[in-house]
Amino acid sequence: MEPLDLRETIPALESGTYLNWGAGGPSPTRVVDAVESSLEHHEYEAPTREGMYPAAFDAYDDARNAVADLLGATVKEIALTQSTTDGINRVAGALEWDDTDVVVRTDLEHSSGILPWQRLERTRGVEVRELETENGRLDLGDVKSAASDATLLCVSSLTWTHGTRLPIESIVDVAHDAGALVLVDAVQAPGQVPVDVHQWGADFVVAAGHKWLLGPFGGGFLFVRGGLERERSLRPAAIGYRSVAEENAVDYEYAPGAKRFEVGTASPAPYAGLSEAIDCFDEIGIRTIERRIEALTDRLKDGLRDDRLVSPREFESGLVTISVDDAEATVERLADSGVVVRMLPNLEAVRASVHAYNTNAEIDALLEALSE
């Protein structure tokens, strides 16, 4: 299947030029059909057949397998969450914190990668250090200095502000040499660039399927490096029957691996949609998707002066940040002309998220609208 074949099955793209995939990716009809079919089966048929809980567990299992293949992980290393924010909070709640602990994050993190650490700073006295970056780049020497006595480093693999790819494998090596754990916010990566969590070597990787994978809201996932629970005391703040090895044991034991981060009953529908979205992605292939994104972003960047382009001119991702005089007004003006982008806080800029499902004509429409 080619990207434009799938585009024909995305109803949201019929009514405008959508260039905001980095916020949320509208789903193809087959993904929505999978969500609806899962819910209908669970509510109409499963009660008198296999049972509602077994039906849900099947959907969870399918999603974990699909995510594991997507990330290059094992199934035991995957926990299902609702979102990236949810995954970060589950990690933040699973470690023992006190006022001797240090969390290091970059100044490029989304609020999802800021607020959980601010809360620990307020409630546990944890020191939070901010790593300064330049033009979406992170200096490894700065990482080494900041992580020298850190407990955990939080970093994005692909920055939502600049669209730059950070050298995660090298960052992890530096942090691990200092004895720090590493949590990677990878939500901007799956669905547009290759992801191999074992190559990265990170301890935790959080993401979700509702952006570049075109899945529904509610289908998040968390990777926990195999064996980490034996190396560190990982006791999640919430516990339920999906968290433990035996739910009716007199003395509970957490399930091995990432599953201890799951809690209790959740709708199977978002995970059925996530599995279907990953199937769509697999049918097209990451190389085809990435090459098309590169061609489209090159077309966009060729139409922008250097002083307007905040993102790198060379291809790194489909996120293209553009300097404008009034970001909020520009977003509203573009929306009035049928072009959907977003503004970025703390930058006088707008961000266009270009996916393989966009067209040359849509890129030209954005450039024309920006020139008005």
Side-chain angles (χ1 to χ4, degrees):
M1 181 167 59
E2 292 297 319
L4 293 184
D5 296 330
L6 189 63
R7 176 194 167 89
E8 292 300 314
T9 70
I10 304 176
L13 303 186
E14 297 172 2
S15 55
T17 296
Y18 189 76
L19 292 163
N20 199 22
W21 306 87
S27 295
T29 52
R30 60 186 274 191
V31 171
V32 175
D33 288 345
V35 171
E36 293 176 344
S37 295
S38 173
L39 185 59
E40 288 177 356
H41 176 77
H42 190 260
E43 301 301 322
Y44 298 163
E45 301 172 9
T48 55
R49 293 187 180 179
E50 72 270 37
M52 298 179 81
Y53 283 90
F57 295 158
D58 286 345
Y60 304 155
D61 289 343
D62 289 345
R64 282 193 217 95
N65 278 287
V67 170
D69 288 343
L70 176 73
L71 302 182
T74 67
V75 174
K76 289 183 178 180
E77 294 174 311
I78 301 300
L80 300 177
T81 67
Q82 291 184 308
S83 64
T84 305
T85 306
D86 182 27
I88 294 175
N89 274 279
R90 294 193 196 194
V91 172
L95 296 167
E96 298 290 338
W97 301 98
D98 60 35
D99 58 9
T100 66
D101 287 307
V102 175
V103 171
V104 178
R105 66 166 181 82
T106 78
D107 60 5
L108 298 175
E109 301 313 306
H110 188 272
S111 58
S112 301
I114 296 174
L115 292 170
W117 317 124
Q118 286 183 330
R119 180 178 178 275
L120 289 176
E121 188 174 38
R122 180 182 300 179
T123 61
R124 300 293 180 87
V126 171
E127 179 186 351
V128 179
R129 297 175 186 164
E130 183 180 275
L131 265 175
E132 294 185 359
T133 59
E134 184 175 356
N135 299 323
R137 302 296 185 197
L138 188 60
D139 183 86
L140 290 178
D142 292 341
V143 175
K144 184 175 181 179
S145 298
S148 61
D149 56 349
T151 306
L152 182 141
L153 169 67
C154 176
V155 63
S156 295
S157 65
L158 201 162
T159 64
W160 73 292
T161 51
H162 293 73
T164 48
R165 295 195 212 186
L166 299 186
I168 295 299
E169 188 174 354
S170 298
I171 291 170
V172 169
D173 286 344
V174 169
H176 280 175
D177 285 345
L181 295 168
V182 180
L183 183 152
V184 178
D185 178 346
V187 73
Q188 295 293 345
Q192 71 153 329
V193 299
V195 176
D196 186 331
V197 291
H198 284 166
Q199 182 176 333
W200 283 351
D203 302 288
F204 308 99
V205 177
V206 292
H210 67 267
K211 297 182 186 289
W212 302 89
L213 283 169
L214 318 189
F217 277 35
F221 41 92
L222 163 64
F223 163 84
V224 181
R225 179 169 58 81
L228 184 61
E229 78 279 6
R230 295 190 296 273
E231 299 174 19
R232 303 273 186 143
S233 178
L234 297 180
R235 292 193 288 271
I239 189 170
Y241 65 87
R242 286 168 64 193
S243 316
V244 296
E246 173 51 60
E247 63 183 276
N248 297 313
V250 175
D251 294 317
Y252 72 83
E253 293 183 6
Y254 282 103
K259 200 166 180 291
R260 66 181 54 207
F261 285 87
E262 297 184 9
V263 184
T265 306
S267 172
Y271 302 112
L274 174 62
S275 297
E276 187 66 29
I278 293 173
D279 283 346
C280 292
F281 167 78
D282 287 340
E283 288 178 24
I284 298 173
I286 183 57
R287 299 304 175 192
T288 297
I289 289 172
E290 190 175 27
R291 282 196 299 267
R292 181 165 176 80
I293 293 174
E294 180 175 6
L296 290 168
T297 55
D298 283 350
R299 187 183 186 93
L300 173 57
K301 292 173 183 178
D302 286 346
L304 296 169
R305 302 191 311 269
D306 285 343
D307 63 338
R308 297 200 70 186
L309 185 60
V310 178
S311 298
R313 187 158 289 279
E314 295 298 318
F315 173 73
E316 295 190 36
S317 75
L319 298 169
V320 180
T321 302
I322 304 160
S323 176
V324 295
D325 290 334
D326 186 331
E328 185 174 1
T330 300
V331 169
E332 292 176 358
R333 179 173 61 79
L334 293 179
D336 288 341
S337 65
V339 179
V340 180
V341 297
R342 67 156 293 169
M343 62 174 289
L344 291 176
N346 305 320
L347 287 174
E348 199 59 60
V350 298
R351 188 192 71 187
S353 304
V354 180
H355 212 327
Y357 315 113
N358 288 119
T359 65
N360 287 338
E362 289 176 325
I363 300 302
D364 295 343
L366 171 61
L367 288 169
E368 181 177 356
L370 285 171
S371 67
E372 294 176 355

